[in-house]
């Protein structure tokens, strides 16, 4: 067993935007974080929600917010999401001019700092930056849309990051995002992920809270039963 619980973060991208507060309440008590996908129609083709929605929703729930910024110029915009009370703010490595400086600014504004790596970006060039971050988000699809098919080959990046975290004794969550569901979460957990975003698998289910609990149970039993040479389960983090 890992000492620290695994994180399951439902993505509201798959929720009914006309009833966002109700959709969030549906996972209260089950979800660890609420994953909020911010897309700007530039960094990715899709357009979703932004700061005003985060500010309003923040008042409607106590679940910690995990904001995933798929936007250009995060150096300009990301701190606003920390100031709005987000628990964690993740921006993309491909978009940031000064990732380490921005991580410092996010922490100074009161949130955790996350670095995201899209499908076609190798993780190796960013490993040395990880001491400045609390979260590394590894996309398991191409960022931009929910409901895509999980790409198992991208778990090689999770394994590489987990080895690096274990060897450097870093306190860092490794989060996976895209196509995480009942049939894929165990592989992601075995590869070394300890935070799991799930949109369709949660909000497409008849009972979203039950879906969250089932996902967590599958990930937890995968880690408990299968600590491997990848290092999965050998480096529990204490950060929630
Ligand atoms: C896509 C977003 C994901 C998305 C995942 O770019 O970052 O968070 O909501 O959706 P599913 O779980 O349906 O793949
Ligand atoms: Zn996301």
């Amino acid at each position: 067993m890992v000492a620290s619980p695994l994180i399951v973060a439902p993505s509201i991208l798959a929720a009914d935007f006309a009833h966002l507060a109700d959709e969030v309440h549906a996972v209260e008590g089950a979800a660890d974080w609420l994953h909020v996908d911010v897309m700007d129609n530039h960094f990715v083709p899709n357009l979703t929600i932004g700061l005003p929605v985060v500010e309003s929703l923040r008042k409607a729930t106590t679940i910690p917010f995990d904001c995933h910024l798929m936007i250009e110029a995060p150096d300009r915009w990301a701190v606003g999401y920390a100031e709005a009370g987000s628990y964690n703010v993740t921006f993309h490595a491909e978009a940031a001019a000064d990732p380490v400086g921005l991580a410092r600014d996010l922490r100074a504004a009161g949130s955790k700092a996350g670095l995201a790596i899209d499908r076609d970006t190798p993780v190796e060039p960013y490993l040395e930056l990880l001491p400045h971050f609390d979260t590394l988000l590894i996309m398991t699809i191409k960022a931009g849309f929910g409901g895509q098919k999980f790409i198992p080959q991208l778990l090689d990046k999770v394994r590489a990051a987990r080895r690096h975290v274990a060897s450097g004794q870093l306190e860092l969550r490794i989060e996976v995002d895209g196509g995480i569901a009942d049939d894929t979460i165990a592989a992601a957990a075995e590869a070394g992920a300890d935070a799991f975003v799930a949109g369709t698998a949660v909000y497409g289910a008849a009972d979203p809270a039950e879906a969250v609990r089932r996902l967590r149970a599958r990930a937890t039993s995968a880690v408990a039963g299968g600590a491997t040479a990848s290092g999965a389960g050998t480096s529990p983090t204490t950060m929630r």
Side-chain angles (χ1 to χ4, degrees), residues 24 44 84 86 94 106 152 165 212 225 230 239:
V24 175
V44 289
S86 301
E94 303 86 1
L106 287 169
V165 166
V212 170
S230 73
M239 190 193 90

Side-chain angles (χ1 to χ4, degrees), residues 165-192:
V165 166
S167 68
Q169 299 183 321
L170 302 179
E171 254 198 33
L172 182 90
R173 284 271 175 200
I174 300 178
E175 185 173 14
V176 282
D177 184 4
I180 298 297
D182 284 340
D183 59 343
T184 57
I185 195 167
E190 283 166 8

Side-chain angles (χ1 to χ4, degrees), residues 21 24-25 27-29 31-34 57-65 85 87:
V24 175
H25 294 155
V27 296
E28 267 174 2
D32 303 286
W33 299 347
L34 188 77
L57 207 53
R58 184 59 285 166
K59 297 176 200 141
T61 180
T62 57
I63 303 181
F65 282 6
Y87 174 78

Side-chain angles (χ1 to χ4, degrees), residues 72-227:
E72 296 287 5
D75 306 78
R76 177 171 176 190
W77 302 110
V79 168
Y81 291 83
E83 290 169 347
S86 301
Y87 174 78
N88 179 73
V89 179
T90 290
F91 58 87
H92 269 264
E94 303 86 1
D98 176 13
V100 171
L102 182 51
R104 194 178 304 122
D105 291 347
L106 287 169
R107 286 171 163 180
S111 78
K112 307 281 187 191
L115 186 70
I117 306 287
D118 204 355
R119 181 191 66 186
D120 301 328
T121 304
V123 72
E124 283 76 12
Y126 298 100
L127 294 176
E128 67 188 38
L129 306 188
L130 295 184
H132 302 278
F133 287 88
D134 305 290
T135 313
L136 173 67
L137 186 155
I138 295 179
M139 295 302 303
T140 39
I141 55 168
K142 171 80 177 156
F145 297 92
Q148 300 182 65
K149 197 170 166 342
F150 179 77
I151 305 170
Q153 291 80 0
L154 297 178
L155 292 180
D156 286 345
K157 290 195 244 184
V158 175
R159 291 185 192 95
R162 176 54 67 195
R163 280 194 297 272
H164 187 80
V165 166
S167 68
Q169 299 183 321
L170 302 179
E171 254 198 33
L172 182 90
R173 284 271 175 200
I174 300 178
E175 185 173 14
V176 282
D177 184 4
I180 298 297
D182 284 340
D183 59 343
T184 57
I185 195 167
E190 283 166 8
D194 58 7
F196 306 87
V197 177
T200 309
V202 170
Y203 282 108
D207 183 341
E210 178 56 29
V212 170
R213 285 190 278 267
R214 199 171 55 239
L215 287 167
R216 187 187 297 99
R218 283 180 192 258
T220 302
S221 64
V223 173

Side-chain angles (χ1 to χ4, degrees), residues 11 13 35-39 66-70 92 137 139 175 177-178 197:
S11 166
L13 186 61
H35 188 80
V36 181
D37 288 303
V38 175
M39 306 188 193
D66 175 37
C67 288
H68 176 195
L69 307 184
M70 285 160 276
H92 269 264
L137 186 155
M139 295 302 303
E175 185 173 14
D177 184 4
V197 177

